[in-house]
Amino acid sequence: MIRFLARRIAFGAGVLLVLSAFVFFLFFVAPGDPARMIAGDKATEAQLAMVRKNLGVDRPVIAQYGTFLSRALTGDLGFSYRNQQPVAQIIARRIPATLSLVAGAALLWLAIGVPIGIMSARHPGSFRDRIGQAFILTGLSFPTFVLGMMSLYLLYFLPKQAGLTLFPPGGYKALTSNPALWAWHLLLPWSTLALTMAAVYARLTRGQMLDVMGEDYIRTARAKGLSEQRVVWKHGMRAALTPLVTQLGADIALMLGGVIVIEQVYGLQGVGALAVQAVTNQDRPIIIGVVLLGGLFIVAANIIVDLFYVLLDPRVR
Amino acid sequence: MSDIAENDFSQGTEVVQRGSLELTLRRLRRDHASMIALGVILCIILLAIIAPWIAAITGHSPIEQFRDTGLSPSGIPVGPGADFWLGTDQLGRDVLVRLAYGARVSLLVGVFASILASMIAVVVGVTAGYFGGMVDMALSRLTDLVMSVPFLLCALALVSAFGPSLMLSVAVIVFFSWAPMARVIRGQVISLSRQDFVHASRSLGAGPLSIMVVDILPNLTVPIIVYTTMQIPNSIVFEATLSFLGMGIVPPTPSWGGMLADASSNSLYLVAWWMVFVPGTALLLTTLAFNILGDGLRDALDPKSARTARHLKRKPKGASKS
């Protein structure tokens, strides 16, 4: 158990090391001079040399990477090229919006996807199954930004023209200042993300349930006289739980690193929007920081999911 | 032998020997959803092919800006009408013509990137699955590594370092798409390489390369075809997403993602709905069609997997109820 965990953590650390090296050296070989970006186009050679010395970019690249790593381990990710603020602080300010979006949407997509998957699997080939499958296919095929823009047009703009403000045009309001306003602003982003993601979970649940409902122990459960509800939710879902947890862990982790497209469409100032702005501004320390944070979330989620397996299924131990 | 068989069945229907390809096509043809999906895909391919003719008929090139006729006096795009069938965009360009040229980009990138990703997946999966041991260990860790990377963020980092381009988009899509399929292939190869026909080949003196290509690869045809088809819509959406974020195809070259990005900038689509609904619907129809076709192909190529399994599954349930 301990060895298993240690191996997982070692692999996770390896992933982060490779990822950090990748982004760091990527920007080293890329064209463009960071000193020029900070000092501006009119800076003299002497000023540029000064800036380079301050940034430490005049030293050999390996030494730079070493310094970067040792600082990153203490949570210091350097300073933004644009406004000289600490990168860690800039990212931390963006996390509440992304976290609110992902947490709410995840609850919603589980609440939509899992029942649809079960409904579909309980009567395979039936009309309800076909509806479920149509939902799955459409959800899997709908690009989130298309769904987002269409919903904004149909649910915000058209009603507003008719004199009815159903939804806000976008933006993020902090949960701490006004919970009702927070939820109202997130309703459309949550639904957009949840509808496309629910398809993945419906398909997963359907597949697992189809596999498991023919098993002997399901028949035993029915023979005991358990209600159909109990058979499906208690005995059937048990088998679907492991793949669902895996998928959920991976999805949440990937999205905490920024739900780039949704944040862009709805003007949410989250981590994903920060990444896009940083790319536009060529603000490399922020890009490096966001990529590493995204990697950290994924690595951590993988380890948590593995731990969860051990709790869920004693055979893994 | 054959005489008896012919005589026995001659009064009824004639017995025809059907190859596996023919059987597959017959199964596929009976699946209405797949046939409609195939029709949609063919229409989109046609749209991409006849793009220059559409430009000629309408008299609008994809990048020409009609600031007098294509924009209202206040600079708002013109809606669908006799002159511009599907309206214009923020620069007064013809949306229909751009849609047709954009289909070229989407299909080319989607198909090309998916095939490349499949090729990498097959090479990695077969090598890892066949050799096992240290080779498998290294390649599997590599697959895990690619899968535990925030791919869209890395794509953004790459684009910000080298600047957006068509080649970079394809490279990024390929790099982040091959891993899941490689995992599946590896699993299949592990079970295949334990089978008797592989042992037989080896005892006849076949080398590893010959066994992998001659014995194992043909048995992977079904997963390769199905996964490649299913990967195409993913690649198309990936490219559209990159272009939507301004990190893909460089304007003014038309692409569906880029058209949606134009619509999204300054929330222009709120006054010009066609700028979203035209490329958005095209994108949705394309991905939907490829996904349905992929599902249908899987069922047709491997009838054991879906339909039959479904029927078998229904039996114990019906039995328990009665």
Side-chain angles (χ1 to χ4, degrees), chain B residues 69-248:
Chain B
T69 51
L71 292 174
S72 74
S74 51
I76 303 289
V78 173
D83 203 6
F84 297 92
W85 297 348
L86 290 177
T88 61
D89 67 3
Q90 82 285 3
L91 296 173
R93 295 173 297 192
D94 192 321
V95 169
L96 172 66
V97 178
R98 288 179 69 73
L99 187 78
Y101 277 94
R104 295 183 157 197
V105 171
S106 281
L107 288 175
L108 275 180
V109 171
V111 173
F112 188 60
S114 301
I115 291 175
L116 274 182
S118 298
M119 279 161 59
I120 297 179
V122 168
V123 170
V124 172
V126 171
T127 316
Y130 181 79
F131 287 107
M134 283 303 286
V135 179
D136 181 24
M137 177 74 161
L139 288 175
S140 291
R141 284 295 88 80
L142 183 71
T143 315
D144 289 347
L145 182 76
V146 172
M147 283 175 80
S148 46
V149 149
F151 58 89
L152 202 48
L153 286 175
C154 285
L156 290 191
L158 271 166
V159 171
S160 81
F162 296 112
S165 73
L166 181 64
M167 281 318 291
L168 188 61
S169 300
V170 173
V172 162
I173 297 171
V174 170
F175 185 75
F176 291 111
S177 310
W178 60 269
M181 182 174 164
R183 221 180 238 186
V184 173
I185 299 274
R186 169 185 170 270
Q188 301 245 340
V189 171
I190 286 179
S191 69
L192 277 172
S193 51
R194 289 204 196 102
Q195 295 202 359
D196 287 340
F197 67 90
V198 173
H199 293 307
S201 253
R202 193 173 295 132
S203 60
L204 286 171
L209 190 67
S210 155
I211 291 179
M212 281 190 277
V213 175
V214 178
D215 298 318
I216 291 180
L217 203 56
N219 286 294
L220 295 172
T221 321
V222 171
I224 291 174
I225 292 179
V226 171
Y227 267 83
T228 310
T229 315
M230 301 282 223
Q231 180 56 41
I232 291 175
N234 294 344
S235 302
I236 289 179
V237 171
F238 202 154
E239 183 276 316
T241 306
L242 286 177
S243 293
F244 176 72
L245 295 171
M247 324 267 166

Side-chain angles (χ1 to χ4, degrees), chain A residues 11 14-15 18-19 22-23 26-27 29-31 122-125 129 133 137-138 140-143 145-146 149-150 152-154 156-157 206 210-211 214 219 222 228 254 257 260-261 264-265 275-276 279-280 282 284 287 290-291 294-295 298-299 302, chain B residues 141-142 144-145 147-154 156-162 176 230 234 237 240-241 244-245 247 256-257 260-261 263-264 269-273 275-277 279-281 283-284 287-289 291-292 295 310 313-314 316-317 320-321:
Chain A
F11 178 70
V15 169
V18 171
L19 198 58
F22 165 73
V23 274
L26 176 68
F27 287 124
V29 295
R122 275 180 62 189
H123 313 279
D129 182 25
Q133 295 217 53
L137 270 173
T138 318
L140 287 178
S141 306
F142 230 126
F145 55 102
V146 175
M149 287 162 85
M150 286 182 174
L152 260 183
Y153 180 77
L154 295 174
Y156 155 71
F157 183 70
R206 180 176 180 276
L210 273 181
D211 274 348
R219 196 161 22 155
R222 285 211 181 97
E228 188 66 20
L254 190 62
I260 300 173
V261 168
Q264 196 74 4
V265 169
V276 175
V279 168
T280 319
Q282 285 287 314
R284 292 175 180 183
I287 303 175
V290 174
V291 171
I298 293 179
V299 163
N302 280 342
Chain B
R141 284 295 88 80
L142 183 71
D144 289 347
L145 182 76
M147 283 175 80
S148 46
V149 149
F151 58 89
L152 202 48
L153 286 175
C154 285
L156 290 191
L158 271 166
V159 171
S160 81
F162 296 112
F176 291 111
M230 301 282 223
N234 294 344
V237 171
T241 306
F244 176 72
L245 295 171
M247 324 267 166
W256 292 350
L260 287 160
S264 159
Y269 64 100
L270 294 180
V271 291
W273 56 266
M275 286 179 68
V276 165
F277 281 79
T281 311
L283 196 54
L284 174 62
T287 52
L288 197 57
N291 275 327
I292 292 174
D295 266 1
R310 224 175 280 156
K313 284 275 150 51
R314 219 186 297 179
K317 207 183 164 199
S320 71
K321 265 187 181 165

Side-chain angles (χ1 to χ4, degrees), chain B residues 55-69:
Chain B
I57 292 168
T58 54
H60 306 144
S61 96
I63 52 168
E64 201 176 338
Q65 305 179 1
F66 299 92
R67 288 181 182 269
D68 303 323
T69 51

Side-chain angles (χ1 to χ4, degrees), chain B residues 42-54 100-101 103-104 107:
Chain B
L42 290 177
C43 285
I44 292 162
I45 294 176
L46 187 71
L47 182 71
I49 292 174
I50 62 167
W53 282 282
I54 295 179
Y101 277 94
R104 295 183 157 197
L107 288 175

Side-chain angles (χ1 to χ4, degrees), chain A residues 42-56:
Chain A
K42 288 175 196 140
T44 62
E45 244 344 280
Q47 283 170 318
L48 285 179
M50 247 308 253
V51 175
R52 280 196 197 102
K53 198 161 165 51
N54 284 340
L55 283 175

Side-chain angles (χ1 to χ4, degrees), chain B residues 1-16:
Chain B
M1 245 325 248
S2 62
D3 282 347
I4 299 169
E6 264 169 39
N7 287 337
D8 277 351
F9 289 96
S10 52
Q11 296 131 333
T13 49
E14 199 181 341
V15 175
V16 191

